[in-house]
Structure formats: structure tokens, C-alpha cells
Amino acid sequence: MKAMVLHAPRTVFVMEERPDPTPGRGEAVARVFACGAGLTIEHIRAGRVGFATFPRIIGHEISAEIVSLGPEVTELKVGDAVTCYFYTGCGNCRWCRTDHEPLCPNQGPRVGYQIDGGYAELIKLPVGNFLKLPPRLDHKGCAAEVAVIADALATPFKVIRRARVEPLENVAVVGAGGGLGIHMIKMARWAGARVIAVERSAAKFDACRAAGAEAVVDASGNDVAGALMEATGGAGADVMIDFVSSRSSLEIGAACLGIGGRLVTLGGAGEDFTVAARQLLNKEAIVMGSRYATKQEVLDTLALAARGEVWPLVTEVHPLEDAERVHERLARGEVIGRAALTLARP
Ligand SMILES: [Zn+2]
């Protein structure tokens, strides 16, 4: 099979011919039609994921079709249209058993980090990492869009549930122009919220509005907190979702929470920050983290997309051969929404 391989962090991709994978017990092999290219995997190329191992085929947002099964696999059949679940929980702990796989303390290898992922014609995974697509999603005709649903839309969907976003609430998305941010806007709109995009790059303001933001706050301005308060009519945000998570963005976010507000941190810098306990008390505000999505949340998001209620924004689709060029653009923050790589049909 043809595969795009990273031999070490901070190196260029190398297109290689690899032996076709053979599924062992509990595994299956799928033919990949498209694979999403986002910051989560650019972090591996850039050397920001300490636990990734090399050489590695990266990529975990896939649209694919099962082509072979290992011995005694009954959960899937040849021809099933599938996408991928990125994490591998142990399946036996309190968190796995209560539908919180992303919190499993005994995580197995992540797809594209410690086991090979979707930048190849074929992908071999434990059957538990393949999720069947609903019949109404066109995994070939809309391969790029279908591929990215499992992370780019499912991660924001989980935030909607975790932060209990309600219709007509003011939801501010910090880092709104990024790959996840744009999809967070779409999901918050789907939930009936009034969305305020907070974004530093003026080139992405229009995309934020097109995704459904009713107001855009320029994060490079002098008084971001003032602009945010103004955008909420002085009440403060009901929900502040921070994909930047620097000290300053988190402190502005906490300060701009309204009564009963929820501050959600995910991704980004993950820096320490200071929050006034008295403010949390007086407003009964909540500070929370949100991590990826459970398998059920990925399935629910796929079902929403199949019903036509939400749809991902893929603005760039390129052949796998162009991975290097796409990742250079990702590294410079030039991609709007998601990019995806497609594989030639056999
Ligand atoms: Zn577990």
C-alpha cells in the first residue's frame, strides 16, 4: 500500500510503499477514502506530542470501508463504511464502563500517535476503534467531510452537552477561527445559542460569521474583555469555550462570565491562570475541562450529520501526496475550517 510516513518529529513526510496490513485477532483493515488534516496531528509533525512514536503514519479522522477481518471478529463485516475513534480505552475501568472513554487512566495507543493512522491506502485497527457510519452518510462521495466529523464536529458536540448549552444563551468561542473553533460555532448555533466569535486573525472573521457567529470580537484588540462584555449586552457570557487557553485568554474568559456562567478549557496552551473564588461563588460560575468525545458522542454526531442538522466545513481537499504542503499551511494557521487529504481510488 501507499503510505505517507513521518520518520521523526520536525521532518518532512515521505511517501512509501508498505506491505498491506494483515488483521490479527480482534483487528480489522479498512480502505481509506479520506483523512482529515488538523492541528492535533500537526502537533506530532511539529514535535509537540512527547508520547508519539516513530516512524509513524499519522491521521485519525477517516472515511473508510472494511476490507478484511481478523479471526473471530463478529462486530464488523467486509464492506462496512466506518470512521475511527481516536483513543483506546482499557474497556474495564470505572471511566470506560460509564461511557467516559477519554478519561480512562489506562489508555492504550492513540490512532496516528502510537499506532498507524489514516495517511495511507489501508488502515489496521482494533475493531473497537472502528465506528460504523450511518447509511445516509456518503463515505465515498463526501469522503472528506464524513472523515472529519468524528473529531472536528464530535469534540464540539461533547462541549455542548458538558457545558449544558441552552437555546438563546450567549456562547463565546475563543480561537473561533481555528479548525475546532469554526465547528464549535456551528454546533453552538445548532444548539440554538447566540454565538460570539473571539478571534485574532482578521482573515478568519468572515468564516466565523459564515459559520454562524452573530458577533466577532477582535482578540488582538486592546480591550478584549470590554468588547466581550459589550457583545453580551453587559451581562457576560453564559458559556465561554476557550480553544486558546493561554493565561490571558482564560483570565479574560473567567472575568467575562455572566451569572451561572461556565468556562470550558480544551486544547491550546493549557496554561495556569488565576480566577477569583469570590466571583465564582457570587455567580455560581463553573470552570471545567472537556476532552475529545465518547464513542457514543461520536456516534450521536454522525447521526446528526446524517440527518442534515450539522455539516463540517472542509475548505481544502488535496491528494495524500500534498500532505507536506497542507501541513505547512496548518502550521502557519492558514487553513480555514478543516483540510483533508484524499486517496486515489483503486
Ligand atoms: Zn479504561
XYZ file of all heavy atoms in Angstrom, residues 31-101:
543
model
N -10.071 0.226 3.872
C -9.529 1.083 2.804
C -9.929 2.516 3.111
O -11.102 2.807 3.372
C -10.084 0.648 1.446
C -9.634 1.547 0.287
C -9.919 0.937 -1.062
N -9.253 -0.351 -1.245
C -7.932 -0.497 -1.483
N -7.168 0.568 -1.598
N -7.412 -1.696 -1.618
N -8.957 3.428 3.078
C -9.199 4.824 3.451
C -9.564 5.629 2.197
O -8.876 5.539 1.180
C -7.941 5.432 4.121
C -8.188 6.890 4.482
C -7.531 4.618 5.341
N -10.639 6.407 2.288
C -11.016 7.296 1.173
C -10.542 8.730 1.423
O -10.186 9.449 0.507
C -12.523 7.274 0.964
C -13.024 5.939 0.532
C -13.675 5.102 1.429
C -12.800 5.476 -0.756
C -14.117 3.846 1.038
C -13.240 4.217 -1.159
C -13.898 3.402 -0.250
N -10.568 9.144 2.699
C -10.087 10.492 3.031
C -9.668 10.511 4.485
O -10.127 9.701 5.294
C -11.184 11.535 2.786
N -8.767 11.459 4.811
C -8.313 11.608 6.193
C -8.174 13.099 6.492
O -7.562 13.837 5.713
C -6.980 10.884 6.394
S -6.404 10.916 8.110
N -8.757 13.536 7.588
C -8.684 14.937 7.976
C -7.269 15.333 8.373
O -6.502 14.516 8.895
N -6.939 16.607 8.114
C -5.625 17.144 8.490
C -5.873 18.370 9.362
O -6.252 19.427 8.865
C -4.831 17.519 7.234
N -5.672 18.198 10.665
C -5.900 19.305 11.600
C -4.713 19.503 12.516
O -3.696 18.805 12.412
N -4.850 20.455 13.442
C -3.738 20.808 14.330
C -3.332 19.665 15.256
O -2.152 19.528 15.586
C -4.133 22.014 15.193
C -3.708 23.393 14.711
C -3.986 24.428 15.788
C -2.212 23.414 14.347
N -4.309 18.836 15.665
C -3.994 17.730 16.576
C -2.881 16.863 15.997
O -2.013 16.385 16.723
C -5.249 16.860 16.820
O -6.295 17.714 17.248
C -5.010 15.802 17.867
N -2.903 16.657 14.694
C -1.872 15.808 14.112
C -0.681 16.627 13.620
O 0.431 16.121 13.577
C -2.435 14.864 13.028
C -3.059 15.626 11.861
C -3.477 13.931 13.635
C -3.492 14.691 10.724
N -0.902 17.911 13.303
C 0.242 18.771 13.008
C 1.169 18.854 14.232
O 2.390 18.946 14.100
C -0.242 20.163 12.562
C 0.807 21.272 12.533
C 2.054 20.968 11.698
O 2.002 20.125 10.798
O 3.100 21.592 11.989
N 0.589 18.781 15.443
C 1.407 18.790 16.669
C 2.433 17.652 16.664
O 3.529 17.798 17.210
C 0.517 18.641 17.911
C -0.318 19.851 18.219
N 0.118 21.137 17.983
C -1.551 19.964 18.774
C -0.834 21.986 18.361
N -1.850 21.307 18.831
N 2.083 16.508 16.055
C 3.025 15.375 16.014
C 4.196 15.730 15.103
O 5.358 15.572 15.465
C 2.339 14.093 15.471
C 1.075 13.784 16.260
C 3.308 12.923 15.511
C 0.251 12.664 15.643
N 3.868 16.251 13.917
C 4.910 16.618 12.963
C 5.831 17.672 13.566
O 7.040 17.671 13.383
C 4.270 17.142 11.668
C 5.230 17.220 10.491
C 4.548 17.860 9.288
N 4.463 19.290 9.422
C 5.005 20.173 8.576
N 5.671 19.744 7.527
N 4.869 21.452 8.768
N 5.233 18.593 14.332
C 5.991 19.709 14.894
C 6.751 19.311 16.162
O 7.458 20.131 16.739
C 5.044 20.868 15.188
N 6.592 18.062 16.615
C 7.339 17.609 17.789
C 6.724 18.026 19.116
O 7.413 18.047 20.137
N 5.432 18.360 19.121
C 4.795 18.791 20.369
C 4.036 17.670 21.083
O 3.383 17.917 22.084
C 3.838 19.962 20.076
C 4.562 21.250 19.680
C 3.598 22.422 19.575
N 2.737 22.312 18.424
C 2.961 22.914 17.244
N 4.028 23.684 17.081
N 2.122 22.766 16.248
N 4.141 16.444 20.549
C 3.477 15.307 21.215
C 4.569 14.363 21.686
O 5.108 13.561 20.918
C 2.517 14.575 20.249
C 1.840 13.402 20.963
C 1.468 15.533 19.718
N 4.924 14.467 22.966
C 6.064 13.720 23.511
C 5.865 12.218 23.444
O 6.831 11.462 23.339
N 4.601 11.754 23.498
C 4.374 10.312 23.580
C 4.133 9.660 22.217
O 3.858 8.469 22.142
C 3.229 9.985 24.551
C 1.952 10.726 24.280
C 1.021 10.200 23.403
C 1.685 11.950 24.886
C -0.161 10.866 23.144
C 0.509 12.621 24.635
C -0.416 12.087 23.750
N 4.235 10.423 21.125
C 4.115 9.818 19.792
C 5.392 9.040 19.493
O 6.472 9.424 19.924
C 3.885 10.891 18.734
N 5.255 7.931 18.780
C 6.422 7.114 18.443
C 6.582 7.059 16.917
O 5.607 7.189 16.172
C 6.273 5.685 19.005
O 5.028 5.134 18.560
C 6.300 5.695 20.536
N 7.828 6.864 16.468
C 8.156 6.958 15.041
C 8.957 5.735 14.608
O 9.603 5.113 15.439
C 8.970 8.242 14.806
C 8.207 9.488 15.124
C 8.212 9.998 16.422
C 7.478 10.124 14.152
C 7.498 11.147 16.726
C 6.750 11.275 14.447
C 6.771 11.784 15.746
N 8.978 5.401 13.294
C 8.234 6.055 12.217
C 6.728 5.856 12.410
O 6.304 4.865 12.985
C 8.728 5.363 10.953
C 9.244 4.050 11.411
C 9.737 4.235 12.812
N 5.943 6.819 11.901
C 4.506 6.793 12.152
C 3.718 7.283 10.935
O 4.126 8.240 10.269
C 4.189 7.700 13.358
C 2.743 7.728 13.796
C 2.215 6.361 14.244
N 3.044 5.779 15.298
C 3.436 4.499 15.307
N 3.087 3.674 14.336
N 4.190 4.038 16.264
N 2.621 6.597 10.657
C 1.613 7.096 9.705
C 0.579 7.804 10.566
O -0.072 7.182 11.389
C 0.967 5.935 8.924
C 2.018 5.145 8.125
C -0.123 6.474 7.985
C 1.498 3.815 7.561
N 0.449 9.116 10.406
C -0.449 9.881 11.277
C -1.848 9.970 10.666
O -2.080 9.525 9.541
C 0.123 11.287 11.599
C 0.148 12.159 10.357
C 1.505 11.167 12.233
C 0.463 13.625 10.656
N -2.763 10.587 11.421
C -4.129 10.816 10.913
C -5.145 9.906 11.594
O -4.928 8.702 11.719
N -6.240 10.506 12.082
C -7.259 9.684 12.748
C -8.685 10.045 12.330
O -9.617 9.373 12.748
C -7.123 9.808 14.270
C -7.358 11.195 14.777
N -6.349 12.130 14.835
C -8.463 11.817 15.214
C -6.836 13.263 15.299
N -8.126 13.112 15.536
N -8.852 11.074 11.514
C -10.202 11.406 11.037
C -10.377 10.762 9.666
O -9.938 11.327 8.665
C -10.366 12.922 10.906
C -10.360 13.685 12.223
C -10.432 15.192 12.009
O -9.903 15.677 10.983
O -11.006 15.883 12.844
N -11.028 9.602 9.637
C -11.062 8.876 8.362
C -12.484 8.557 7.909
O -13.404 8.418 8.695
C -10.276 7.538 8.429
C -10.841 6.616 9.520
C -8.796 7.792 8.641
C -10.364 5.171 9.397
N -12.592 8.451 6.602
C -13.762 7.858 5.964
C -13.223 6.620 5.262
O -12.284 6.721 4.458
C -14.334 8.862 4.965
O -15.329 8.244 4.197
N -13.762 5.457 5.603
C -13.126 4.222 5.126
C -14.154 3.103 4.987
O -15.321 3.268 5.347
C -12.027 3.804 6.109
N -13.678 1.964 4.464
C -14.561 0.816 4.252
C -13.787 -0.459 4.599
O -12.657 -0.647 4.138
C -14.981 0.788 2.778
C -16.144 -0.107 2.475
C -16.630 0.111 1.049
O -17.245 1.168 0.766
O -16.386 -0.771 0.196
N -14.402 -1.307 5.415
C -13.728 -2.525 5.887
C -13.444 -3.457 4.699
O -14.341 -3.749 3.896
C -14.593 -3.262 6.933
C -14.843 -2.365 8.155
C -13.954 -4.596 7.333
C -13.636 -2.051 8.997
N -12.181 -3.923 4.611
C -11.819 -4.848 3.520
C -11.408 -6.221 4.028
O -11.457 -7.207 3.286
C -10.695 -4.275 2.608
C -11.213 -3.082 1.823
C -9.459 -3.900 3.408
N -10.956 -6.323 5.281
C -10.637 -7.665 5.803
C -10.739 -7.679 7.316
O -10.598 -6.651 7.979
C -9.248 -8.123 5.349
O -8.252 -7.231 5.790
N -11.015 -8.856 7.854
C -11.254 -9.021 9.290
C -10.307 -10.064 9.845
O -9.999 -11.067 9.178
C -12.691 -9.501 9.526
C -13.813 -8.619 8.982
C -15.142 -9.359 9.047
C -13.901 -7.326 9.775
N -9.878 -9.852 11.094
C -9.065 -10.858 11.770
C -9.931 -12.017 12.222
O -11.165 -11.980 12.101
N -9.279 -13.098 12.738
C -10.031 -14.273 13.188
C -11.058 -13.897 14.257
O -10.782 -13.089 15.140
C -8.948 -15.179 13.791
C -7.652 -14.660 13.273
C -7.840 -13.220 12.934
N -12.221 -14.458 14.156
C -13.279 -14.361 15.163
C -13.820 -12.948 15.375
O -14.384 -12.651 16.410
C -12.807 -14.934 16.506
C -12.566 -16.434 16.455
C -11.821 -16.940 17.681
O -12.085 -16.418 18.774
O -10.991 -17.850 17.531
N -13.616 -12.077 14.395
C -14.215 -10.740 14.516
C -15.662 -10.817 14.040
O -15.922 -11.223 12.907
C -13.437 -9.691 13.685
C -14.219 -8.390 13.598
C -12.063 -9.444 14.297
N -16.588 -10.452 14.929
C -18.006 -10.536 14.570
C -18.678 -9.159 14.565
O -19.805 -9.021 14.099
C -18.757 -11.430 15.588
O -18.512 -10.912 16.900
C -18.289 -12.863 15.518
N -17.994 -8.133 15.115
C -18.620 -6.814 15.261
C -18.741 -6.087 13.923
O -19.551 -5.162 13.783
C -17.798 -5.932 16.212
C -17.665 -6.479 17.628
C -16.434 -7.356 17.816
O -15.994 -7.996 16.821
O -15.920 -7.408 18.936
N -17.899 -6.457 12.950
C -17.872 -5.758 11.662
C -17.944 -6.787 10.549
O -17.676 -7.968 10.765
C -16.551 -4.982 11.516
C -16.296 -3.826 12.476
C -14.828 -3.422 12.438
C -17.177 -2.634 12.120
N -18.300 -6.298 9.343
C -18.214 -7.184 8.187
C -17.573 -6.435 7.021
O -17.574 -5.184 6.998
C -19.578 -7.761 7.822
C -20.632 -6.739 7.487
C -21.964 -7.449 7.193
C -22.965 -6.493 6.563
N -23.241 -5.275 7.358
N -17.044 -7.210 6.080
C -16.409 -6.608 4.909
C -17.448 -5.754 4.186
O -18.591 -6.178 4.004
C -15.818 -7.703 3.985
C -15.371 -7.109 2.644
C -14.643 -8.385 4.688
N -17.048 -4.528 3.806
C -17.967 -3.617 3.126
C -18.571 -2.578 4.043
O -19.163 -1.601 3.571
N -18.449 -2.753 5.382
C -18.986 -1.746 6.302
C -18.276 -0.403 6.095
O -17.042 -0.351 6.005
C -18.768 -2.173 7.769
C -19.815 -3.157 8.256
O -20.846 -3.319 7.572
O -19.601 -3.766 9.329
N -19.061 0.669 6.034
C -18.493 2.017 5.977
C -18.185 2.454 7.411
O -19.036 2.328 8.296
C -19.481 2.973 5.336
N -16.972 2.949 7.653
C -16.532 3.231 9.020
C -15.768 4.541 9.111
O -15.257 5.066 8.122
C -15.609 2.094 9.548
C -16.381 0.800 9.763
C -14.423 1.879 8.610
N -15.705 5.046 10.351
C -14.762 6.087 10.692
C -13.985 5.584 11.903
O -14.103 4.416 12.275
C -15.470 7.440 10.952
O -14.492 8.475 11.076
C -16.333 7.391 12.215
N -13.180 6.449 12.501
C -12.261 5.985 13.534
C -12.508 6.683 14.862
O -12.809 7.880 14.900
C -10.836 6.264 13.043
S -9.567 6.253 14.297
N -12.414 5.920 15.954
C -12.366 6.500 17.304
C -10.899 6.617 17.683
O -10.145 5.652 17.633
C -13.139 5.615 18.296
C -13.280 6.271 19.645
C -14.124 7.361 19.814
C -12.538 5.835 20.741
C -14.245 7.984 21.042
C -12.661 6.457 21.973
C -13.513 7.532 22.120
O -13.627 8.161 23.329
N -10.512 7.847 18.065
C -9.108 8.244 18.171
C -8.400 7.610 19.379
O -7.240 7.198 19.310
C -9.124 9.779 18.261
C -7.831 10.487 18.470
C -6.638 10.005 17.976
C -7.826 11.705 19.144
C -5.460 10.706 18.169
C -6.663 12.417 19.331
C -5.475 11.909 18.848
N -9.084 7.524 20.523
C -8.471 6.999 21.745
C -8.715 5.491 21.847
O -9.591 4.954 21.185
C -9.108 7.645 22.983
C -8.672 9.051 23.312
C -8.043 9.865 22.386
C -8.908 9.569 24.590
C -7.675 11.159 22.710
C -8.538 10.867 24.930
C -7.923 11.663 23.984
O -7.569 12.936 24.320
N -7.943 4.848 22.706
C -8.174 3.444 23.005
C -8.246 3.279 24.512
O -7.231 3.285 25.203
C -7.023 2.567 22.447
O -6.825 2.898 21.081
C -7.363 1.098 22.564
N -9.452 3.183 25.037
C -9.622 2.962 26.475
C -9.375 1.499 26.823
O -9.362 0.642 25.945
N -9.172 1.212 28.123
C -8.913 -0.171 28.540
C -10.178 -1.016 28.468
O -10.110 -2.237 28.377
C -8.320 -0.193 29.952
S -9.533 0.160 31.257
N -11.347 -0.351 28.540
C -12.609 -1.082 28.470
C -13.065 -1.671 29.796
O -14.175 -2.192 29.890
N -12.214 -1.607 30.809
C -12.526 -2.284 32.069
C -12.547 -1.389 33.291
O -12.837 -1.856 34.380
C -11.493 -3.398 32.322
C -11.646 -4.510 31.316
O -12.746 -4.984 31.090
N -10.549 -4.888 30.693
N -12.229 -0.109 33.133
C -12.164 0.740 34.321
C -13.512 1.442 34.532
O -14.415 1.384 33.693
C -11.038 1.770 34.194
S -11.363 3.060 33.002
N -13.615 2.103 35.661
C -14.825 2.841 36.001
C -15.216 3.820 34.894
O -16.389 3.989 34.557
C -14.540 3.573 37.310
C -15.544 4.591 37.713
C -15.013 5.336 38.929
N -15.839 6.490 39.210
C -15.519 7.438 40.080
N -14.401 7.357 40.745
N -16.322 8.455 40.261
N -14.216 4.486 34.304
C -14.491 5.522 33.308
C -14.920 4.920 31.983
O -15.857 5.402 31.352
C -13.269 6.437 33.149
C -12.889 7.002 34.472
C -11.832 6.640 35.259
C -13.617 7.996 35.221
N -11.855 7.339 36.437
C -12.929 8.178 36.440
C -14.779 8.729 34.977
C -13.369 9.075 37.413
C -15.213 9.618 35.935
C -14.513 9.794 37.136
N -14.261 3.845 31.566
C -14.676 3.169 30.330
C -16.072 2.587 30.486
O -16.895 2.648 29.573
C -13.689 2.059 29.971
S -12.119 2.670 29.326
N -16.341 2.028 31.670
C -17.630 1.365 31.878
C -18.785 2.349 31.997
O -19.944 1.972 31.863
C -17.577 0.470 33.117
C -16.831 -0.844 32.874
C -17.126 -1.855 33.969
N -16.699 -1.381 35.256
C -15.583 -1.749 35.884
N -14.777 -2.622 35.299
N -15.264 -1.268 37.041
N -18.459 3.628 32.276
C -19.543 4.612 32.409
C -19.562 5.582 31.229
O -19.975 6.732 31.361
C -19.418 5.400 33.727
O -18.104 5.970 33.793
C -19.648 4.509 34.924
N -19.086 5.119 30.063
C -19.153 5.933 28.855
C -18.343 7.230 28.982
O -18.806 8.307 28.617
C -20.624 6.242 28.511
C -20.780 6.831 27.126
O -19.884 6.610 26.285
O -21.777 7.520 26.879
N -17.146 7.119 29.551
C -16.230 8.263 29.624
C -14.838 7.834 29.120
O -13.830 8.121 29.771
C -16.089 8.768 31.063
C -17.323 9.405 31.621
N -18.314 8.695 32.242
C -17.727 10.698 31.636
C -19.277 9.507 32.629
N -18.960 10.730 32.266
N -14.787 7.155 27.968
C -13.513 6.597 27.499
C -12.354 7.600 27.474
O -11.221 7.219 27.767
C -13.654 6.000 26.094
C -14.648 4.874 25.968
C -15.978 5.347 25.451
O -16.353 6.515 25.690
O -16.675 4.543 24.797
